[in-house]
Amino acid sequence: MSCNANKCIECTVQQCEHHCDTENYCSLDRILVGTHELNPTVDQCTDCKSFHRK
């Protein structure tokens, strides 16, 4: 399977179906970043809402 790496979106989450296996990039044109906290204060409070498990 060929991956169209978007060089503007770096990603190291190899379990995501949008991750390019040979490069640490996402194949999506854009992603949605959200949070699971009411008042996020650190990066651990943010989530890639475009994540889909392989």
Side-chain angles (χ1 to χ4, degrees):
M1 178 169 90
S2 175
C3 182
N4 224 1
N6 181 340
K7 302 290 184 168
C8 293
I9 306 173
E10 293 185 67
C11 179
T12 59
V13 183
Q14 295 178 357
Q15 296 81 359
C16 182
E17 71 177 338
H18 305 297
H19 181 269
C20 290
D21 291 326
T22 59
E23 303 177 75
N24 280 332
Y25 291 102
C26 182
S27 64
L28 294 174
D29 291 333
R30 64 181 183 175
I31 62 169
L32 174 62
V33 177
T35 183
H36 56 271
E37 302 286 336
L38 292 175
N39 184 26
T41 57
V42 293
D43 59 345
Q44 291 89 349
C45 297
T46 60
D47 305 294
C48 179
K49 298 292 187 174
S50 301
F51 172 83
H52 288 158
R53 184 158 177 80
K54 284 185 181 176

